Amino acid sequence: MTPQDITKLIVRTAMKDRAAFDLLYRRTSAKLFGVCLRVLNDHAEAEEALQEVFLKVWTKADRFAASDLSPISWLVAIARNHSIDRLRARRQPTGDVAAATEVADSAPGPEALAVAGGEAARVHACLDELEHDRAAAVRGAYLKGESYAELAERHGVPLNTMRTWLRRSLLKLRECLER
Amino acid sequence: MSAADDNGRELEGDEALAAEYVLGVLSADERKEVARRVGAEPAFARLVDEWEVRLADLGAAYQPVEPPAGVTTAIDRALFASAVSPVNERSGIWTSLAFWRAAAFAAIVGLAIAIAIPLLSPAPAPVAAPERLLASLSADGSDIRYVALYDAGRGAVSLSHESGQKAAGYDFELWVIEDGDAAPVSLGVIPDGATAELSLTEEHRRHVADGGLFAISLEPAGGSPTGAPTGPVVAAGELRSL
């Protein structure tokens, strides 16, 4: 399924074409479930989140045209943001589970580099220009939706320090990507 | 972390807020406020979208996991349970039934020939503009079925209502969607009856001639009040050359 095919399905979903919506689900639900699972780290909650994500896709598909994202990245962004919102709404962070997956996220990993190819190499190359632990903080925050508070605790620095570090890192990242 | 490579500059203001939102580090309250501003302030929404684009490739690290089958059932229930009234099988004799069955059969044969021709002939023949286009319209979970035939010579769409009833106080409206990002264009409310015909304006004929998809949505009586589909799509199908 090419990006053009997914674009068509989103456009047809925007005009409430149910067959297109069903096909869109079949083509993209595994990827989006992967997003929900990674962020929420809980199977039952990820299932609920995925259901809500597709309800959002059904009602918000017309907004795809306003975004510069590729169709799959647009869908991933909806799933990520929704899962992070759910994560923040929890009363207690599930610390043990988060710690268990921490090691895997401190480096880009072969999966990220292999799947993505040329374009993706840019953001990874730019992250590699940052100090290792700052790049790891950016990746951890992005992939797992870690909050400033969680990152500060894990890296053993005050929250304001973590905020300053990340804002500097994000500025450098932007400048690198615009070079 | 050392500060050796820091030059002291950092993202500020809305640019920082947008980046932090996309990165996912904000608190629940901060995220709510950002989401509200995304809906209300186009310039701020643009900042957020730009950061989504910058970081999007990190999403390649998410490994696909097949979700349980129950999720799609739940989505269907949530979205479509009340969309269409229960359907009774139509009764009575359709005067044009034999024609429509023949047309549908011809479409299948035509498709088979279209697939076979490139295999048989060494050079592709020049493609003429299609004179007649046929679409079989249906959708999973809906029993509304129509067959639509567009005759370019007459500039009209003939419709055969195969099955499915609409709820009282509603109308079926026919739309054409060209390939790509085009918005659906209304071809009009479908008159009641086992067969119906819609005459198209010149502009509508051009849209249909470009091919794409026919779709039928359930609309308030008299058709969509907005010019765009407002109800569920109860049937849709690709336009194929006949």
Side-chain angles (χ1 to χ4, degrees):
Chain A
M1 190 130 227
T2 67
Q4 288 77 16
D5 292 333
I6 299 176
T7 295
K8 269 186 205 172
L9 293 179
I10 293 173
V11 168
R12 286 173 186 177
T13 296
M15 63 84 65
K16 309 304 179 198
D17 176 343
R18 204 176 145 183
F21 180 65
D22 287 346
L23 192 55
L24 184 68
Y25 180 88
R26 290 203 292 276
R27 293 287 184 270
T28 62
S29 57
K31 177 73 177 181
L32 302 194
F33 191 50
V35 173
C36 297
L37 264 182
R38 185 71 172 273
V39 173
L40 292 166
N41 224 331
D42 178 292
H43 217 274
E45 201 177 352
E47 279 181 38
E48 283 179 23
L50 182 69
Q51 181 183 337
E52 291 156 0
V53 163
F54 273 92
L55 299 183
K56 276 195 175 176
V57 170
W58 173 258
T59 54
K60 293 183 167 182
D62 57 333
R63 300 198 198 163
F64 170 65
S67 174
D68 285 333
L69 286 164
S70 74
I72 192 68
S73 291
W74 184 75
L75 295 167
V76 166
I78 292 175
R80 257 191 86 240
N81 283 315
H82 188 73
S83 298
I84 292 170
D85 285 339
R86 280 193 74 119
L87 189 65
R88 290 287 175 280
R90 279 184 192 160
R91 290 192 171 275
Q92 297 286 330
T94 51
D96 292 344
V97 192
T101 57
E102 206 166 278
V103 178
D105 292 311
S106 56
E111 44 173 76
L113 297 173
V115 173
E119 276 296 310
R122 282 199 71 204
V123 73
H124 289 298
C126 288
L127 278 175
D128 288 344
E129 290 186 11
L130 303 176
E131 283 179 60
H132 179 76
D133 48 0
R134 295 189 191 196
V138 170
R139 287 194 173 99
Y142 189 88
L143 291 175
K144 296 189 294 183
E146 289 178 319
S147 67
Y148 267 137
E150 288 163 333
L151 288 168
E153 190 183 339
R154 179 145 70 83
H155 288 269
V157 296
L159 195 143
N160 282 338
T161 306
M162 177 53 71
R163 182 179 285 121
T164 300
W165 281 353
L166 270 190
R167 286 181 173 187
R168 285 179 187 172
S169 298
L170 289 165
L171 178 63
K172 283 179 186 164
L173 194 61
R174 192 189 73 187
E175 288 172 349
C176 173
L177 288 168
E178 286 169 357
R179 277 207 293 272
Chain B
M1 290 189 192
S2 81
D5 64 344
D6 283 342
N7 52 18
R9 294 180 305 119
E10 60 180 68
L11 283 186
E12 290 172 354
D14 281 354
E15 178 85 25
L17 193 62
E20 288 168 334
Y21 174 76
V22 172
L23 195 57
V25 291
L26 297 180
S27 69
D29 288 345
E30 290 167 325
R31 287 182 63 81
K32 274 194 197 117
E33 173 60 10
V34 168
R36 186 195 64 75
R37 288 188 61 193
V38 165
E41 302 172 29
F44 183 69
R46 176 56 43 193
L47 284 180
V48 171
D49 196 59
E50 284 168 5
W51 273 101
E52 290 282 11
V53 169
R54 284 187 190 107
L55 299 180
D57 288 331
L58 293 175
Y62 290 115
Q63 294 299 297
V65 180
E66 206 59 47
V71 176
T72 176
T73 314
I75 292 170
D76 281 352
R77 257 204 312 275
L79 283 180
F80 306 116
S82 60
V84 180
S85 69
V87 174
N88 302 313
E89 198 57 42
R90 287 178 79 85
S91 57
I93 295 164
W94 307 344
T95 52
S96 60
L97 181 62
F99 165 75
W100 286 106
R101 293 218 166 129
F105 176 73
I108 294 163
V109 172
L111 184 62
I113 292 170
I115 291 165
I117 280 173
L119 301 173
L120 297 174
S121 45
V127 179
E131 287 299 304
R132 296 209 295 173
L133 299 169
L134 184 99
S136 295
L137 287 78
S138 62
D140 289 349
S142 154
D143 23 24
I144 312 294
R145 297 183 70 86
Y146 272 87
V147 177
L149 178 70
Y150 172 67
D151 185 331
R154 295 194 303 119
V157 178
S158 307
L159 293 138
S160 171
H161 190 174
E162 303 283 319
S163 71
Q165 296 294 316
K166 63 197 179 195
Y170 288 86
D171 271 328
F172 287 140
E173 188 159 353
L174 181 68
W175 306 83
V176 62
I177 312 160
E178 292 173 50
D179 284 337
D181 294 352
V185 173
S186 174
L187 300 179
V189 168
I190 301 172
D192 289 337
T195 61
E197 184 163 296
L198 292 171
S199 289
L200 304 190
T201 65
E202 275 301 320
E203 189 198 340
H204 287 165
R205 290 177 201 187
R206 276 196 300 278
H207 285 297
V208 175
D210 288 341
L213 181 89
F214 271 168
I216 294 172
S217 67
L218 188 66
E219 299 292 342
S224 164
T226 67
T230 61
V233 166
V234 293
E238 298 273 356
L239 282 161
R240 299 186 190 286
S241 265
L242 192 59

mmCIF file of all heavy atoms in Angstrom, chain B residues 197-231:
data_model
loop_
_atom_site.group_PDB
_atom_site.id
_atom_site.type_symbol
_atom_site.label_atom_id
_atom_site.label_comp_id
_atom_site.label_asym_id
_atom_site.label_seq_id
_atom_site.Cartn_x
_atom_site.Cartn_y
_atom_site.Cartn_z
ATOM 1 N N GLU B 197 -33.198 8.063 -12.578
ATOM 2 C CA GLU B 197 -32.219 8.656 -13.472
ATOM 3 C C GLU B 197 -31.902 10.076 -13.022
ATOM 4 O O GLU B 197 -32.795 10.811 -12.588
ATOM 5 C CB GLU B 197 -32.751 8.675 -14.910
ATOM 6 C CG GLU B 197 -31.709 9.201 -15.887
ATOM 7 C CD GLU B 197 -32.054 8.846 -17.335
ATOM 8 O OE1 GLU B 197 -32.076 7.654 -17.667
ATOM 9 O OE2 GLU B 197 -32.305 9.783 -18.119
ATOM 10 N N LEU B 198 -30.621 10.433 -13.096
ATOM 11 C CA LEU B 198 -30.191 11.796 -12.790
ATOM 12 C C LEU B 198 -29.537 12.384 -14.035
ATOM 13 O O LEU B 198 -28.583 11.802 -14.561
ATOM 14 C CB LEU B 198 -29.171 11.802 -11.644
ATOM 15 C CG LEU B 198 -29.671 11.399 -10.254
ATOM 16 C CD1 LEU B 198 -28.492 11.243 -9.297
ATOM 17 C CD2 LEU B 198 -30.652 12.436 -9.718
ATOM 18 N N SER B 199 -30.052 13.517 -14.512
ATOM 19 C CA SER B 199 -29.405 14.211 -15.626
ATOM 20 C C SER B 199 -28.315 15.102 -15.064
ATOM 21 O O SER B 199 -28.517 15.784 -14.063
ATOM 22 C CB SER B 199 -30.418 15.078 -16.387
ATOM 23 O OG SER B 199 -31.295 14.234 -17.088
ATOM 24 N N LEU B 200 -27.154 15.092 -15.717
ATOM 25 C CA LEU B 200 -26.014 15.825 -15.180
ATOM 26 C C LEU B 200 -25.769 17.114 -15.948
ATOM 27 O O LEU B 200 -25.969 17.178 -17.160
ATOM 28 C CB LEU B 200 -24.747 14.963 -15.243
ATOM 29 C CG LEU B 200 -24.814 13.610 -14.544
ATOM 30 C CD1 LEU B 200 -23.407 12.997 -14.476
ATOM 31 C CD2 LEU B 200 -25.392 13.724 -13.139
ATOM 32 N N THR B 201 -25.314 18.137 -15.236
ATOM 33 C CA THR B 201 -24.884 19.375 -15.885
ATOM 34 C C THR B 201 -23.547 19.118 -16.588
ATOM 35 O O THR B 201 -22.895 18.105 -16.349
ATOM 36 C CB THR B 201 -24.667 20.490 -14.848
ATOM 37 O OG1 THR B 201 -23.580 20.096 -13.997
ATOM 38 C CG2 THR B 201 -25.917 20.711 -14.012
ATOM 39 N N GLU B 202 -23.165 20.068 -17.436
ATOM 40 C CA GLU B 202 -21.876 19.943 -18.141
ATOM 41 C C GLU B 202 -20.733 19.754 -17.153
ATOM 42 O O GLU B 202 -19.845 18.935 -17.356
ATOM 43 C CB GLU B 202 -21.631 21.198 -19.006
ATOM 44 C CG GLU B 202 -22.278 21.147 -20.379
ATOM 45 C CD GLU B 202 -21.779 19.958 -21.218
ATOM 46 O OE1 GLU B 202 -20.566 19.680 -21.154
ATOM 47 O OE2 GLU B 202 -22.592 19.321 -21.887
ATOM 48 N N GLU B 203 -20.770 20.562 -16.086
ATOM 49 C CA GLU B 203 -19.688 20.501 -15.107
ATOM 50 C C GLU B 203 -19.645 19.124 -14.442
ATOM 51 O O GLU B 203 -18.582 18.515 -14.286
ATOM 52 C CB GLU B 203 -19.888 21.598 -14.056
ATOM 53 C CG GLU B 203 -18.692 21.748 -13.125
ATOM 54 C CD GLU B 203 -19.048 22.506 -11.853
ATOM 55 O OE1 GLU B 203 -20.072 23.217 -11.849
ATOM 56 O OE2 GLU B 203 -18.300 22.369 -10.872
ATOM 57 N N HIS B 204 -20.819 18.610 -14.081
ATOM 58 C CA HIS B 204 -20.874 17.287 -13.447
ATOM 59 C C HIS B 204 -20.392 16.202 -14.396
ATOM 60 O O HIS B 204 -19.739 15.251 -13.984
ATOM 61 C CB HIS B 204 -22.303 16.995 -12.981
ATOM 62 C CG HIS B 204 -22.691 17.799 -11.775
ATOM 63 N ND1 HIS B 204 -23.979 17.938 -11.363
ATOM 64 C CD2 HIS B 204 -21.940 18.521 -10.911
ATOM 65 C CE1 HIS B 204 -24.027 18.707 -10.277
ATOM 66 N NE2 HIS B 204 -22.799 19.075 -10.000
ATOM 67 N N ARG B 205 -20.714 16.364 -15.689
ATOM 68 C CA ARG B 205 -20.273 15.358 -16.669
ATOM 69 C C ARG B 205 -18.756 15.280 -16.718
ATOM 70 O O ARG B 205 -18.174 14.211 -16.846
ATOM 71 C CB ARG B 205 -20.802 15.703 -18.065
ATOM 72 C CG ARG B 205 -22.309 15.522 -18.181
ATOM 73 C CD ARG B 205 -22.807 15.928 -19.548
ATOM 74 N NE ARG B 205 -24.237 16.217 -19.469
ATOM 75 C CZ ARG B 205 -25.001 16.472 -20.516
ATOM 76 N NH1 ARG B 205 -24.483 16.487 -21.740
ATOM 77 N NH2 ARG B 205 -26.285 16.709 -20.373
ATOM 78 N N ARG B 206 -18.119 16.464 -16.633
ATOM 79 C CA ARG B 206 -16.645 16.465 -16.656
ATOM 80 C C ARG B 206 -16.090 15.716 -15.445
ATOM 81 O O ARG B 206 -15.145 14.947 -15.547
ATOM 82 C CB ARG B 206 -16.113 17.903 -16.681
ATOM 83 C CG ARG B 206 -16.072 18.505 -18.077
ATOM 84 C CD ARG B 206 -15.196 19.729 -18.112
ATOM 85 N NE ARG B 206 -15.667 20.787 -17.212
ATOM 86 C CZ ARG B 206 -16.646 21.652 -17.534
ATOM 87 N NH1 ARG B 206 -17.237 21.572 -18.712
ATOM 88 N NH2 ARG B 206 -17.009 22.574 -16.685
ATOM 89 N N HIS B 207 -16.703 15.946 -14.259
ATOM 90 C CA HIS B 207 -16.240 15.253 -13.054
ATOM 91 C C HIS B 207 -16.351 13.744 -13.227
ATOM 92 O O HIS B 207 -15.443 12.994 -12.890
ATOM 93 C CB HIS B 207 -17.071 15.683 -11.839
ATOM 94 C CG HIS B 207 -16.728 17.053 -11.330
ATOM 95 N ND1 HIS B 207 -15.489 17.355 -10.824
ATOM 96 C CD2 HIS B 207 -17.452 18.188 -11.254
ATOM 97 C CE1 HIS B 207 -15.469 18.628 -10.456
ATOM 98 N NE2 HIS B 207 -16.644 19.163 -10.716
ATOM 99 N N VAL B 208 -17.507 13.305 -13.759
ATOM 100 C CA VAL B 208 -17.729 11.867 -13.887
ATOM 101 C C VAL B 208 -16.800 11.281 -14.949
ATOM 102 O O VAL B 208 -16.256 10.186 -14.772
ATOM 103 C CB VAL B 208 -19.208 11.580 -14.221
ATOM 104 C CG1 VAL B 208 -19.418 10.090 -14.470
ATOM 105 C CG2 VAL B 208 -20.113 12.060 -13.090
ATOM 106 N N ALA B 209 -16.590 12.035 -16.043
ATOM 107 C CA ALA B 209 -15.742 11.525 -17.131
ATOM 108 C C ALA B 209 -14.324 11.283 -16.644
ATOM 109 O O ALA B 209 -13.609 10.437 -17.178
ATOM 110 C CB ALA B 209 -15.746 12.513 -18.296
ATOM 111 N N ASP B 210 -13.900 12.030 -15.630
ATOM 112 C CA ASP B 210 -12.555 11.845 -15.095
ATOM 113 C C ASP B 210 -12.437 10.581 -14.251
ATOM 114 O O ASP B 210 -11.344 10.238 -13.804
ATOM 115 C CB ASP B 210 -12.143 13.061 -14.251
ATOM 116 C CG ASP B 210 -11.859 14.272 -15.127
ATOM 117 O OD1 ASP B 210 -11.627 14.064 -16.335
ATOM 118 O OD2 ASP B 210 -11.904 15.403 -14.615
ATOM 119 N N GLY B 211 -13.569 9.911 -14.023
ATOM 120 C CA GLY B 211 -13.523 8.647 -13.313
ATOM 121 C C GLY B 211 -13.443 8.834 -11.811
ATOM 122 O O GLY B 211 -13.689 9.915 -11.298
ATOM 123 N N GLY B 212 -13.121 7.745 -11.114
ATOM 124 C CA GLY B 212 -13.052 7.800 -9.662
ATOM 125 C C GLY B 212 -14.098 6.915 -9.029
ATOM 126 O O GLY B 212 -14.206 5.741 -9.374
ATOM 127 N N LEU B 213 -14.889 7.517 -8.158
ATOM 128 C CA LEU B 213 -15.748 6.727 -7.286
ATOM 129 C C LEU B 213 -17.136 7.366 -7.224
ATOM 130 O O LEU B 213 -17.255 8.580 -7.163
ATOM 131 C CB LEU B 213 -15.110 6.749 -5.889
ATOM 132 C CG LEU B 213 -15.757 5.998 -4.752
ATOM 133 C CD1 LEU B 213 -15.227 4.567 -4.730
ATOM 134 C CD2 LEU B 213 -15.401 6.677 -3.431
ATOM 135 N N PHE B 214 -18.168 6.535 -7.251
ATOM 136 C CA PHE B 214 -19.510 6.977 -6.902
ATOM 137 C C PHE B 214 -19.762 6.578 -5.449
ATOM 138 O O PHE B 214 -19.372 5.491 -5.039
ATOM 139 C CB PHE B 214 -20.572 6.289 -7.771
ATOM 140 C CG PHE B 214 -20.899 7.013 -9.061
ATOM 141 C CD1 PHE B 214 -21.653 6.379 -10.048
ATOM 142 C CD2 PHE B 214 -20.480 8.311 -9.280
ATOM 143 C CE1 PHE B 214 -21.966 7.024 -11.239
ATOM 144 C CE2 PHE B 214 -20.794 8.972 -10.463
ATOM 145 C CZ PHE B 214 -21.528 8.326 -11.444
ATOM 146 N N ALA B 215 -20.426 7.446 -4.717
ATOM 147 C CA ALA B 215 -20.789 7.100 -3.347
ATOM 148 C C ALA B 215 -22.187 7.625 -3.068
ATOM 149 O O ALA B 215 -22.608 8.639 -3.628
ATOM 150 C CB ALA B 215 -19.795 7.698 -2.353
ATOM 151 N N ILE B 216 -22.914 6.912 -2.203
ATOM 152 C CA ILE B 216 -24.255 7.332 -1.811
ATOM 153 C C ILE B 216 -24.252 7.566 -0.306
ATOM 154 O O ILE B 216 -23.838 6.702 0.465
ATOM 155 C CB ILE B 216 -25.299 6.259 -2.171
ATOM 156 C CG1 ILE B 216 -25.391 6.116 -3.695
ATOM 157 C CG2 ILE B 216 -26.658 6.615 -1.577
ATOM 158 C CD1 ILE B 216 -26.260 4.951 -4.143
ATOM 159 N N SER B 217 -24.684 8.754 0.093
ATOM 160 C CA SER B 217 -24.774 9.049 1.525
ATOM 161 C C SER B 217 -26.227 9.214 1.918
ATOM 162 O O SER B 217 -27.095 9.503 1.092
ATOM 163 C CB SER B 217 -23.982 10.313 1.868
ATOM 164 O OG SER B 217 -24.595 11.446 1.279
ATOM 165 N N LEU B 218 -26.469 8.983 3.207
ATOM 166 C CA LEU B 218 -27.815 9.170 3.762
ATOM 167 C C LEU B 218 -27.900 10.604 4.262
ATOM 168 O O LEU B 218 -27.108 11.028 5.101
ATOM 169 C CB LEU B 218 -28.017 8.188 4.926
ATOM 170 C CG LEU B 218 -29.424 8.089 5.512
ATOM 171 C CD1 LEU B 218 -30.396 7.500 4.491
ATOM 172 C CD2 LEU B 218 -29.421 7.258 6.779
ATOM 173 N N GLU B 219 -28.859 11.354 3.707
ATOM 174 C CA GLU B 219 -28.951 12.789 4.017
ATOM 175 C C GLU B 219 -30.359 13.139 4.480
ATOM 176 O O GLU B 219 -31.306 12.399 4.206
ATOM 177 C CB GLU B 219 -28.621 13.608 2.759
ATOM 178 C CG GLU B 219 -27.223 13.380 2.204
ATOM 179 C CD GLU B 219 -26.125 13.905 3.107
ATOM 180 O OE1 GLU B 219 -26.437 14.744 3.990
ATOM 181 O OE2 GLU B 219 -24.966 13.485 2.959
ATOM 182 N N PRO B 220 -30.521 14.280 5.148
ATOM 183 C CA PRO B 220 -31.868 14.756 5.474
ATOM 184 C C PRO B 220 -32.695 14.885 4.189
ATOM 185 O O PRO B 220 -32.118 15.110 3.113
ATOM 186 C CB PRO B 220 -31.626 16.131 6.088
ATOM 187 C CG PRO B 220 -30.193 16.142 6.504
ATOM 188 C CD PRO B 220 -29.470 15.183 5.595
ATOM 189 N N ALA B 221 -34.027 14.781 4.314
ATOM 190 C CA ALA B 221 -34.889 14.849 3.139
ATOM 191 C C ALA B 221 -34.556 16.087 2.316
ATOM 192 O O ALA B 221 -34.391 17.175 2.862
ATOM 193 C CB ALA B 221 -36.359 14.889 3.577
ATOM 194 N N GLY B 222 -34.400 15.910 0.996
ATOM 195 C CA GLY B 222 -34.061 17.032 0.124
ATOM 196 C C GLY B 222 -32.572 17.145 -0.144
ATOM 197 O O GLY B 222 -32.161 17.930 -0.994
ATOM 198 N N GLY B 223 -31.765 16.394 0.577
ATOM 199 C CA GLY B 223 -30.329 16.385 0.303
ATOM 200 C C GLY B 223 -29.520 17.163 1.318
ATOM 201 O O GLY B 223 -30.074 17.858 2.175
ATOM 202 N N SER B 224 -28.209 17.021 1.198
ATOM 203 C CA SER B 224 -27.296 17.654 2.143
ATOM 204 C C SER B 224 -27.513 19.159 2.180
ATOM 205 O O SER B 224 -27.533 19.807 1.139
ATOM 206 C CB SER B 224 -25.852 17.366 1.753
ATOM 207 O OG SER B 224 -24.980 18.259 2.417
ATOM 208 N N PRO B 225 -27.668 19.724 3.365
ATOM 209 C CA PRO B 225 -27.848 21.177 3.457
ATOM 210 C C PRO B 225 -26.541 21.952 3.271
ATOM 211 O O PRO B 225 -26.567 23.168 3.105
ATOM 212 C CB PRO B 225 -28.390 21.372 4.873
ATOM 213 C CG PRO B 225 -27.904 20.190 5.642
ATOM 214 C CD PRO B 225 -27.773 19.057 4.660
ATOM 215 N N THR B 226 -25.410 21.279 3.279
ATOM 216 C CA THR B 226 -24.124 21.990 3.278
ATOM 217 C C THR B 226 -23.406 21.937 1.935
ATOM 218 O O THR B 226 -22.426 22.648 1.733
ATOM 219 C CB THR B 226 -23.172 21.383 4.324
ATOM 220 O OG1 THR B 226 -22.824 20.055 3.899
ATOM 221 C CG2 THR B 226 -23.821 21.341 5.693
ATOM 222 N N GLY B 227 -23.842 21.072 1.028
ATOM 223 C CA GLY B 227 -23.091 20.888 -0.213
ATOM 224 C C GLY B 227 -22.009 19.840 -0.088
ATOM 225 O O GLY B 227 -21.368 19.488 -1.073
ATOM 226 N N ALA B 228 -21.789 19.349 1.120
ATOM 227 C CA ALA B 228 -20.857 18.240 1.338
ATOM 228 C C ALA B 228 -21.622 17.138 2.060
ATOM 229 O O ALA B 228 -22.639 17.413 2.697
ATOM 230 C CB ALA B 228 -19.674 18.693 2.183
ATOM 231 N N PRO B 229 -21.178 15.886 1.948
ATOM 232 C CA PRO B 229 -21.902 14.808 2.618
ATOM 233 C C PRO B 229 -21.948 15.048 4.124
ATOM 234 O O PRO B 229 -20.931 15.409 4.719
ATOM 235 C CB PRO B 229 -21.071 13.563 2.301
ATOM 236 C CG PRO B 229 -20.217 13.931 1.140
ATOM 237 C CD PRO B 229 -19.993 15.408 1.229
ATOM 238 N N THR B 230 -23.126 14.872 4.724
ATOM 239 C CA THR B 230 -23.244 15.039 6.171
ATOM 240 C C THR B 230 -23.582 13.722 6.859
ATOM 241 O O THR B 230 -23.354 13.587 8.051
ATOM 242 C CB THR B 230 -24.342 16.060 6.529
ATOM 243 O OG1 THR B 230 -25.594 15.568 6.034
ATOM 244 C CG2 THR B 230 -24.061 17.413 5.899
ATOM 245 N N GLY B 231 -24.114 12.774 6.117
ATOM 246 C CA GLY B 231 -24.516 11.511 6.719
ATOM 247 C C GLY B 231 -23.545 10.401 6.358
ATOM 248 O O GLY B 231 -22.567 10.628 5.659
#
